[in-house]
Amino acid sequence: MWERTLQDLIRGLRANKKDESKFIAQAVDEIRQEIKSKDMEIKAAAVLKLTYLHMMGYDMGWASFHVVEVMSAPRIHLKTIGYLAAAESFTEDTDVLMLTTNLLKKDLGSRPEEVAIALNGLSHIVTPELARDLSPELVAMLNHSRPHIRKRAVLAMYKVLTKYPEILPQSMSRLQDKLDDSDPGVVAATVNVLCELSHRNPRDYLPLAPHLFHLLTTSSNNWMLIKIIKLFGTLTPYEPRLVKKLQPPITDLISTTAAISLLYECVRTCIIGGMLLGHSGNALARTCVTKLAGFLQDSDQNLKYIALLAMVKIVPSHPELVAEYQDMILSSVNDEDISIRMRALDTVSAMVSRHNLQPILQQLLSHLVKSESVALPSASEVLSQFAPSPGAPIARPAVLPSQSPAYRLTLAQRILALGSQDVYDNITDFEWYISVLVDLAYVARVNVGAEIREQLVDIAGRVRAARRYAVQVMVKLLSDDSFLHNASDEGGCPEVLWAAAWICGEYCSELAEPHKLLSYLLQPRIMTLPTEIIAVYLHAAMKVFGSWAAELADRWDDDDLPKVRGVVDDVLERLSSFVTSPDIEVQERAAELLQLFTFVRADLSTFKPQARSELMYGDSSAETFGGPSSTPAAQPHFPKSLYLMKPLFGAYELNAVALTAQASVPVPEGLDLEAWIVPMQEEPVLTQDAAADEAPEGRKAKKGKKKDAGKTKRKGKGKAREDESGDEEGGHAPAPPSAETAEERAERERRKAERLERLRDDPYYLIDDRTAPARLDASDLDSIPVVKLDDLPPLFQAATVSPRLPSLRSSPAPPAQTFVIDRTGEMPEGARSPPPQPGVASPRPSGSSPPAPYGDGSRAGTPLGVGAVTAAPLPSRFPTYDLDVDEPRPGTPEPIKVMRAKKKGSGSGSGKKEKRRTQTRPTDGGTTQT
């Protein structure tokens, strides 16, 4: 026989763990019988057991009415069971909740113990309907004679006001009175409720500021002070006068309190409430930073976290105060706790300026290098892991935080973002930054090669003074066999070799010995690289040889002929392995180079050096070749093929392109961008004769369709021959058709409808059932409604740009900048000011996002123009980081493809070609053709 107590149910569950479902099924059947009993004790015991099973996941919705019966029991211990079951099982969709309204009203007016139970249950099962119906009784409970009832009523008011905010005006005066209650518990509960409610509409709670300020200055309850300070932090943005009033008491609390939670809440309120701004907030800001710096030195990880979280919010207003603890913050970048490391990175990123960028980047880069020299565990340490002695702890090898792939990726991306911020505004030495980018490619061991490539190419294009050093570093990178060997590994950054080859090819005039670089650009080992990088290698080889050959022709000496032949033969031999590449891009470039170098070798083999006495050109031979010459039969004293390749790519210098360059291209004279390229054709109008011929054809039966079609075809051919003969004899075209009348238009529409209806059943004819747009006649244009849009707001708002942070430390000014950065980019010849467009700022202010990167990479040889290549944008100051040491490494985006762009010519011939070439660019307002 089943026992009727909850204790027996629990003992049975523990004894039947192997067959728990069967035991619970039997228990539920027993409860179904007990809950129907007229004895309220048995019914309440069944509801209590059912509530326990409900907490284990079994449904008790079928017993909702029985729960209401137990709630109405006269005995207090049974009523408690009923309210407990209702709080656990009732939801807003429970249908028996409408039966509890009168029950709750009755209990709220009963004995104090029943009132307490009813208030507790109401806060769990309240719905908008219950809140509306019971709000008068609940507001009356705020003036109950017993303090614990008043406190419960105040707490229940929060749930009621959340479900039914319309009663807030009636209850606000009562809540305000409770701030002066004689019982501290009631005051604390009222402050807690007001603090939570103020987030919805803070302006409604501004009248409570005097009462709250009185509590702030007189109360000693730390938990209530925390709630009051939070409430003031919500109100101060809507009442600026509170800032000056709150500064003295909050400063006193920060200086005297020993409670860490209260101290942090005071600092947080000072930040979000704007109390640190202005001259009066400097002393308070220094006090806050000093207290937070003490948290950084504490062994408690939680204090370190909240200190970094608060410091990153103080940096925008007082960066010089936070910079005093720069070394302490940087030491947290390598903390064992991932959350502390990420917050330290946020704080360091906010501190960056021209004065401290170099030490910060060097320190961040050192965290990536440290893991390279991790000592391996000794033999005894390894053995101790498998056979530990009794009582001795197991020795485990230390794992540095910087070994986490996810963290290394975040750290590398943050280094790139800090360097490229505001178009490299914080960098004073670009040679140093190029070295940092190359070092990062060596030690990152994560997929950031695409970002490093973009910045290297961007710096080489924008900063002329850094090109020679960049070429020197890229030559070393191309000749490094270890980097090429590791490029195919995970995180090997092979995209950096793309940038190295492109820079050496584009600025090959900075090379000391260009011909020696060809052996590295065409070595067979590069076949393991991605195909888009191999294509850039081949294109760079052509540029390097073309520049070297042209330079050699300017100072030609016949003794150089064997060296040139040897270089050409070596290139042809190396190109043979690239011609058979499975990639079409590599194969095409290799085939082009093979044909060009074959032509050069043929020209070199037929070249015959001339004696010095036979030379006719002297020093002007190079200028005469390819240009005007007074003697047509004159021949240069060097192989003419040496000038074959350089004009293919070196006609124009590749510079940065301005953001508004495309919009500033002047419209040529005689070009109307609003005119149709292909004129619109009007719908042909049928004449009366054609209509008469079509009418009987449409009424023919389907049986004679083939015969009639043959006759019509022959008739049409004969008529066509007659028309042609008539045209030849008369020498003029037939007269244009007359204008169509309203009757003729109606007849034509009727015939068209009949034809479509006839063809609707034809399975070989597709009918377009879509409704055609209504066409307005020219005479009906006045009926179009006109709406004035002058008062509407603009569709796009210009992006607001936060001002740059002031200098951090009071250190001497940086040295004069020796590098000139092309920030604006190149504009086309005869550029005009583009019309202002919504959402586009020109020129780009400091602090906005950098321009678009170089091209899309489909043609890896020549970019679209040296545009502003930007690294990953600076992450948000307060992101949510869910990183783990064992989390798999996220991938980086695909490398940016680059397409060949044609340069604008300056001659008359190129001008005609440029005039014929049309480029369509989408804009906000439509399509622009240039």
Side-chain angles (χ1 to χ4, degrees):
M1 185 65 182
W2 179 254
E3 297 293 339
R4 298 178 179 177
T5 62
L6 178 62
Q7 291 79 4
D8 293 333
L9 174 63
I10 297 174
R11 292 192 191 101
L13 287 173
R14 293 176 179 176
N16 295 271
K17 289 185 177 180
K18 294 183 179 180
D19 198 4
E20 182 177 315
S21 59
K22 181 179 179 180
F23 177 80
I24 291 178
Q26 295 176 357
V28 171
D29 292 339
E30 183 72 18
I31 291 173
R32 287 180 182 272
Q33 298 299 326
E34 294 176 354
I35 208 169
K36 297 177 182 179
S37 174
K38 296 182 179 180
D39 188 353
M40 192 59 67
E41 293 284 349
I42 298 177
K43 186 186 291 288
V47 169
L48 184 61
K49 291 185 289 184
L50 195 59
T51 304
Y52 182 80
L53 294 178
H54 175 77
M55 290 189 290
M56 294 181 61
Y58 295 91
D59 181 43
M60 62 173 293
W62 55 272
S64 299
F65 183 77
H66 301 288
V67 172
V68 176
E69 288 181 333
V70 177
M71 290 171 61
S72 60
R75 297 183 180 181
I76 189 65
H77 69 282
L78 302 181
K79 187 182 291 291
T80 303
I81 294 175
Y83 275 100
L84 173 63
E88 291 292 333
S89 62
F90 283 8
T91 63
E92 291 188 4
D93 299 330
T94 304
D95 51 359
V96 298
L97 274 177
M98 64 179 65
L99 304 177
T100 62
T101 304
N102 292 329
L103 174 63
L104 289 170
K105 286 185 177 182
K106 177 183 176 182
D107 290 340
L108 289 176
S110 302
R111 296 173 296 173
E113 55 269 20
E114 294 182 358
V115 173
I117 296 174
L119 288 174
N120 184 39
L122 176 62
S123 62
H124 289 87
I125 66 175
V126 63
T127 61
E129 292 77 13
L130 285 175
R132 180 194 61 215
D133 298 337
L134 298 176
S135 58
E137 288 78 7
L138 192 60
V139 172
M141 288 294 104
L142 295 176
N143 291 333
H144 199 275
S145 59
R146 300 205 177 187
H148 72 93
I149 299 296
R150 296 198 300 270
K151 183 171 66 173
R152 291 175 183 267
V154 169
L155 295 177
M157 281 296 299
Y158 171 71
K159 289 294 188 71
V160 172
L161 290 172
T162 303
K163 296 293 184 179
Y164 192 67
E166 285 77 2
I167 66 170
L168 180 61
Q170 294 82 4
S171 59
M172 180 59 71
S173 59
R174 293 291 181 91
L175 289 175
Q176 186 174 355
D177 294 339
K178 296 301 106 180
L179 292 176
D180 299 329
D181 195 274
S182 58
D183 185 74
V186 177
V187 178
T190 306
V191 171
N192 193 8
V193 169
L194 293 175
C195 181
E196 298 300 325
L197 292 175
S198 63
H199 296 290
R200 298 177 179 270
N201 189 6
R203 294 184 182 275
D204 294 342
Y205 302 89
L206 287 175
L208 303 178
H211 296 79
L212 296 173
F213 184 80
H214 175 72
L215 292 174
L216 177 64
T217 54
T218 57
S219 176
S220 59
N221 186 350
N222 287 337
W223 293 112
M224 189 171 68
L225 289 176
I226 290 175
K227 293 295 183 180
I228 294 174
I229 291 174
K230 280 187 176 181
L231 185 53
F232 274 124
T234 307
L235 298 180
T236 47
Y238 299 92
E239 181 53 72
R241 292 177 295 179
L242 284 175
V243 173
K244 186 177 180 180
K245 187 73 173 177
L246 292 172
Q247 280 181 347
I250 290 184
T251 303
D252 183 64
L253 282 175
I254 294 175
S255 304
T256 59
T257 184
I260 301 298
S261 56
L262 179 58
L263 175 60
Y264 174 73
E265 200 59 47
C266 291
V267 174
R268 178 181 173 275
T269 302
C270 292
I271 297 172
I272 66 176
M275 301 181 188
L276 305 182
L277 303 178
H279 180 72
S280 59
N282 293 335
L284 181 57
R286 181 170 293 278
T287 304
C288 293
V289 174
T290 304
K291 291 291 184 178
L292 294 176
F295 290 174
L296 290 177
Q297 300 175 351
D298 199 283
S299 58
D300 190 354
Q301 297 291 86
N302 295 325
L303 296 183
K304 289 183 180 180
Y305 181 83
I306 62 175
L308 293 171
L309 187 64
M311 278 188 172
V312 77
K313 299 177 182 179
I314 298 178
V315 169
S317 59
H318 295 81
E320 69 284 350
L321 299 179
V322 181
E324 296 178 1
Y325 305 95
Q326 174 178 315
D327 298 335
M328 193 181 302
I329 296 172
L330 285 173
S331 63
S332 301
V333 176
N334 206 33
D335 195 272
E336 295 180 357
D337 191 346
I338 180 63
S339 58
I340 292 179
R341 296 203 303 267
M342 302 310 298
R343 292 305 180 192
L345 276 181
D346 291 339
T347 308
V348 168
S349 303
M351 293 165 51
V352 165
S353 69
R354 281 193 170 194
H355 304 279
N356 59 4
L357 175 67
Q358 292 192 12
I360 286 178
L361 289 192
Q362 291 293 141
Q363 186 73 14
L364 296 180
L365 193 63
S366 65
H367 291 298
L368 296 175
V369 181
K370 283 182 180 180
S371 60
E372 301 287 341
S373 58
V374 176
L376 296 177
S378 61
S380 60
E381 293 176 350
V382 175
L383 292 176
S384 63
Q385 299 178 21
F386 298 97
S389 59
I394 300 177
R396 300 182 184 274
V399 179
L400 292 179
S402 57
Q403 291 180 344
S404 170
Y407 178 67
R408 294 180 69 87
L409 177 63
T410 303
L411 192 58
Q413 290 177 343
R414 191 63 61 91
I415 291 174
L416 295 171
L418 294 178
S420 62
Q421 187 176 3
D422 294 338
V423 196
Y424 316 102
D425 186 55
N426 295 326
I427 297 178
T428 57
D429 188 354
F430 279 91
E431 294 182 357
W432 164 82
Y433 187 60
I434 290 174
S435 302
V436 170
L437 292 178
V438 176
D439 292 342
L440 183 61
Y442 275 94
V443 303
R445 298 208 311 270
V446 288
N447 298 324
V448 291
E451 290 89 341
I452 298 176
R453 173 194 64 189
E454 293 165 7
Q455 291 199 19
L456 286 173
V457 175
D458 190 28
I459 292 173
R462 289 182 177 275
V463 188
R464 295 175 181 268
R467 289 178 182 175
R468 175 167 297 182
Y469 182 79
V471 170
Q472 295 174 0
V473 176
M474 296 302 106
V475 169
K476 295 180 180 179
L477 192 62
L478 292 173
S479 59
D480 189 354
D481 295 336
S482 62
F483 190 88
L484 179 61
H485 176 73
N486 298 327
S488 57
D489 299 339
E490 183 68 22
C493 299
E495 296 87 356
V496 181
L497 295 175
W498 189 104
W502 190 89
I503 291 173
C504 290
E506 187 65 29
Y507 308 108
C508 50
S509 59
E510 304 291 345
L511 292 170
E513 295 177 331
H515 61 283
K516 293 184 178 180
L517 185 61
L518 294 174
S519 59
Y520 298 109
L521 293 174
L522 299 176
Q523 55 182 320
R525 295 179 58 186
I526 69 173
M527 294 297 295
T528 59
L529 296 175
T531 54
E532 62 270 11
I533 301 178
I534 301 176
V536 177
Y537 266 68
L538 297 177
H539 197 79
M542 182 183 69
K543 291 181 179 181
V544 171
F545 178 82
S547 177
W548 174 68
E551 182 183 356
L552 202 63
D554 293 338
R555 50 179 180 80
W556 176 255
D557 190 351
D558 293 337
D559 298 336
D560 296 333
L561 184 60
K563 181 171 66 173
V564 177
R565 288 177 177 175
V567 172
V568 172
D569 293 339
D570 182 62
V571 170
L572 287 173
E573 182 181 355
R574 294 174 181 271
L575 285 175
S576 58
S577 60
F578 296 97
V579 177
T580 58
S581 173
D583 185 74
I584 187 62
E585 181 72 16
V586 176
Q587 185 184 125
E588 180 183 358
R589 291 180 183 272
E592 293 173 354
L593 286 179
L594 186 64
Q595 296 299 323
L596 289 174
F597 278 95
T598 301
F599 177 80
V600 173
R601 183 172 63 178
D603 181 66
L604 293 176
S605 62
T606 58
F607 176 74
K608 295 180 180 180
Q610 300 179 7
R612 294 291 179 181
S613 58
E614 298 178 0
L615 295 178
M616 300 174 58
Y617 300 95
D619 296 337
S620 62
S621 59
E623 299 177 0
T624 304
F625 176 70
S629 177
S630 59
T631 308
Q635 295 293 331
H637 68 283
F638 55 85
K640 294 183 291 184
S641 60
L642 297 181
Y643 274 103
L644 176 64
M645 297 185 186
K646 185 175 181 179
L648 298 178
F649 57 85
Y652 301 96
E653 183 180 4
L654 193 60
N655 298 319
V657 179
L659 286 175
T660 59
Q662 181 67 33
S664 302
V665 175
V667 180
E669 297 182 1
L671 177 61
D672 186 6
L673 297 178
E674 303 297 333
W676 288 91
I677 299 177
V678 178
M680 294 184 62
Q681 297 181 359
E682 296 182 357
E683 186 177 355
V685 180
L686 296 177
T687 59
Q688 295 180 357
D689 296 338
D693 294 339
E694 186 180 356
E697 181 183 355
R699 292 189 293 268
K700 290 182 180 180
K702 292 185 179 180
K703 295 182 179 180
K705 186 180 295 183
K706 295 184 178 179
K707 183 177 180 180
D708 295 340
K711 293 181 180 179
T712 306
K713 184 176 181 181
R714 289 192 297 271
K715 181 179 179 181
K717 289 183 178 179
K719 185 176 181 180
R721 284 193 295 269
E722 292 175 3
D723 293 342
E724 292 177 359
S725 62
D727 292 343
E728 293 176 357
E729 294 174 1
H732 57 83
S738 58
E740 187 180 24
T741 62
E743 293 79 3
E744 293 173 347
R745 186 185 304 109
E747 180 66 19
R748 176 168 55 82
E749 294 294 339
R750 184 186 62 79
R751 290 197 304 269
K752 181 179 179 181
E754 291 179 354
R755 184 173 67 256
L756 292 177
E757 187 65 26
R758 184 174 67 253
L759 295 175
R760 187 176 298 277
D761 297 331
D762 191 349
Y764 301 102
Y765 191 85
L766 298 179
I767 300 296
D768 189 3
D769 294 332
R770 293 177 299 179
T771 304
R775 300 179 58 185
L776 296 176
D777 297 337
S779 59
D780 198 25
L781 294 179
D782 295 336
S783 63
I784 300 177
V786 178
V787 180
K788 294 185 178 181
L789 304 178
D790 298 337
D791 298 334
L792 294 181
L795 295 179
F796 302 97
Q797 298 290 342
T800 58
V801 181
S802 58
R804 286 190 65 253
L805 299 179
S807 58
L808 297 184
R809 297 189 179 186
S810 57
S811 56
Q817 186 175 1
T818 58
F819 297 94
V820 179
I821 310 174
D822 186 7
R823 300 184 186 277
T824 58
E826 187 179 23
M827 297 289 289
E829 296 181 3
R832 57 175 176 81
S833 299
Q837 299 179 3
V840 178
S842 176
R844 186 173 65 86
S846 174
S848 58
S849 58
Y854 284 73
D856 58 358
S858 59
R859 300 288 295 180
T862 305
L864 282 173
V866 185
V869 177
T870 249
L874 192 62
S876 174
R877 299 290 171 85
F878 312 103
T880 301
Y881 300 97
D882 294 325
L883 302 177
D884 192 5
V885 175
D886 298 329
E887 185 178 356
R889 179 186 303 123
T892 54
E894 292 294 329
I896 296 178
K897 302 295 184 180
V898 177
M899 297 182 61
R900 182 187 299 273
K902 295 183 179 180
K903 296 293 182 178
K904 182 178 179 181
S906 57
S908 59
S910 62
K912 296 179 179 179
K913 295 179 181 179
E914 189 70 17
K915 192 171 183 179
R916 289 195 300 266
R917 185 167 63 247
T918 302
Q919 181 177 0
T920 303
R921 178 177 62 86
T923 60
D924 294 338
T927 302
T928 302
Q929 299 174 353
T930 57

